[in-house]
């Protein structure tokens, strides 16, 4: 029998990652392409369609593609058909991605918040057993948050559950890409580190920031804000497992021990602190591509191995 694939795509601000994922989570034909080489006109959907049609016609894949699953760094409507708003990508507003691509490509298309795909990947990779509540917080450029209840992503009334990065920090006047002022993700995400390098540590490359300045108060406070964000989620949900990941916590010399200590400090005693299952996830370039497969299986009910 021919192997079938799910095409997984991770839409990022600067790069798109795409791959053909098997039921056993192997990836074929992985590509990382610059977003501006795909989006070449004002018509985002037409550009995406053209790129996908080219990819689907690769000789190794042709005729064996079961579905397409796309992860967006954006809020997505409850029906998982329309991309609503992306804090960092202004061209991604109110895009009817699913209807458009299904009509033009003639194949099932699923969309999800990219962070849900990342959480599905980690669930599989770290062999997290079925449980009632699994939560993930990912600290990259911004803060990604996904919550799974009994194996399914928590959607919320409008599809907009899990926007932990947009809780307000008292006193902060910083404008966020979401339209609010003072959001945590501007103070506990990679954007803050970029700002520190621009304004304070002007001779430091961002990749060396923890190596050169990790002991200084500015960065210890930054780690504390990450911990406060994670602990807020733990205190609300009392999850079976709490996964923390993303590019920031996987930077060179990031003080993971301090982060774990601070998360425990900010978590309510005796519970949920005493029984906390905290897992720090490593970064993997293909996370959201591979995690796209389970999102599709949920809809297609394919066997997963
Ligand atoms: Zn915000």
């Amino acid at each position: 029998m021919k192997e079938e694939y799910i095409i997984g795509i991770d839409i990022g601000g600067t790069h798109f990652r795409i791959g053909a994922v098997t039921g056993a989570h192997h990836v074929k034909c992985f590509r990382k392409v610059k977003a501006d080489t795909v989006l070449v006109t004002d018509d985002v959907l037409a550009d995406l369609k053209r790129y996908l049609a080219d990819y689907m016609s690769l000789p190794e894949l042709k005729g064996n593609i079961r579905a397409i699953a796309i992860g967006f760094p954006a809020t997505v409507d409850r029906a998982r058909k329309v991309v609503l708003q992306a804090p960092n990508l202004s061209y991604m507003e109110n895009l009817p991605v699913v209807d458009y691509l299904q009509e033009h490509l003639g194949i099932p298309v699923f969309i999800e918040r990219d962070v849900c795909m990342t959480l599905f990947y980690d669930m599989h990779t770290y062999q997290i057993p079925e449980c009632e509540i699994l939560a993930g917080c990912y600290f990259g450029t911004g803060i990604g948050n996904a919550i799974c209840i009994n194996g399914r992503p928590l959607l919320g009334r409008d599809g907009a559950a899990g926007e932990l990065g947009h809780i307000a920090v008292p006193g902060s006047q910083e404008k966020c890409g979401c339209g609010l002022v003072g959001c945590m993700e501007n103070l506990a995400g990679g954007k803050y580190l970029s700002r520190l390098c621009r304004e304070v540590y002007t001779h430091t490359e961002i990749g060396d920031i923890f190596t050169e300045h990790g002991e200084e108060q500015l960065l210890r406070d930054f780690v504390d804000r990450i911990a406060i964000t994670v602990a807020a989620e733990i205190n609300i949900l009392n999850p079976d497992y709490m996964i923390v990941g993303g590019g920031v916590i996987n930077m060179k010399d990031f003080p993971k021990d301090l982060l774990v200590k601070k998360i425990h400090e900010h978590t309510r005693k005796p519970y949920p602190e005493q029984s906390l299952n905290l897992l720090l996830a490593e970064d993997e370039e293909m996370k959201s591509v591979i995690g796209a497969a389970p999102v599709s299986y949920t809809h297609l009910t394919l066997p997963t191995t």
Side-chain angles (χ1 to χ4, degrees), residues 67-297:
I68 296 171
I70 314 175
F72 288 93
T75 48
V76 176
D77 72 329
R78 187 179 160 85
R80 294 319 200 220
K81 285 178 178 280
V82 178
V83 172
L84 297 177
Q85 201 267 345
N88 303 310
L89 305 172
S90 56
Y91 58 86
M92 295 242 171
E93 287 220 358
N94 294 314
L95 291 179
V97 176
V98 170
D99 287 347
Y100 180 92
L101 291 180
Q102 283 190 162
E103 186 189 331
H104 288 86
L105 297 172
I107 188 168
V109 175
F110 306 108
I111 62 171
E112 196 35 275
R113 296 159 67 229
D114 55 0
V115 67
C116 283
M117 296 182 170
T118 304
L119 186 59
F120 273 123
Y121 172 88
D122 283 339
M123 204 191 308
H124 181 84
T125 302
Y126 296 102
Q127 300 183 323
I128 292 176
E130 269 185 38
C131 61
E132 185 191 4
I133 303 175
L134 165 68
C137 285
Y138 298 91
F139 295 82
T141 308
I143 299 174
N145 175 216
I147 300 154
C148 270
I149 309 286
N150 297 318
R152 301 188 82 96
L154 178 70
L155 301 177
R157 176 175 171 158
D158 303 301
E163 289 295 315
L164 186 63
H166 302 278
I167 53 174
V169 178
S172 171
Q173 294 302 313
E174 191 140 347
K175 271 199 84 173
C176 180
C178 75
L180 296 175
V181 173
C183 293
M184 182 61 103
E185 79 164 26
N186 296 294
L187 297 172
K191 277 184 273 190
Y192 180 79
L193 299 180
S194 303
R195 205 176 80 207
L196 277 187
C197 285
R198 269 197 321 274
E199 296 175 1
V200 183
Y201 303 134
T202 50
H203 296 293
T204 301
E205 295 286 332
I206 190 160
D208 296 326
I209 195 166
F210 289 104
T211 311
E212 295 180 16
H213 305 285
E215 294 298 319
E216 293 172 32
Q217 201 58 44
L218 276 173
L219 284 175
R220 292 182 74 86
D221 289 346
F222 172 77
V223 174
D224 196 37
R225 288 193 292 272
I226 293 180
I228 287 170
T229 309
V230 174
E233 178 106 317
I234 296 166
N235 286 331
I236 293 169
L237 295 175
N238 185 194
D240 295 278
Y241 294 88
M242 179 77 232
I243 297 179
V244 180
V248 167
I249 75 146
N250 284 292
M251 284 171 74
K252 186 172 50 141
D253 292 322
F254 179 89
K256 287 184 174 174
D257 291 347
L258 177 66
L259 176 63
V260 170
K261 181 170 160 266
K262 290 279 178 190
I263 290 172
H264 277 273
E265 262 177 39
H266 291 299
T267 302
R268 176 84 160 90
K269 318 290 186 297
Y271 297 103
E273 194 268 336
Q274 222 172 82
S275 65
L276 180 59
N277 275 322
L278 181 67
L279 199 151
L280 300 192
E282 297 197 359
D283 236 11
E284 150 64 59
E285 178 157 67
M286 291 191 286
K287 263 187 172 187
S288 295
V289 170
I290 297 171
V295 169
S296 308
Y297 296 136

Side-chain angles (χ1 to χ4, degrees), residues 20 28-31 52-63 65:
K28 263 178 88 168
C29 306
F30 177 74
R31 310 260 193 281
L52 282 166
D54 284 349
Y55 186 83
M56 287 166 68
S57 65
L58 290 172
E60 306 95 297
L61 307 178
K62 208 172 173 185
I65 298 161

Side-chain angles (χ1 to χ4, degrees), residues 4-8 19-22 66-69 292-293 296-297 300 302:
E4 288 189 323
Y5 304 104
I6 305 289
I7 294 184
V21 187
T22 68
R66 184 76 193 267
I68 296 171
S296 308
Y297 296 136
L300 293 170
L302 277 174

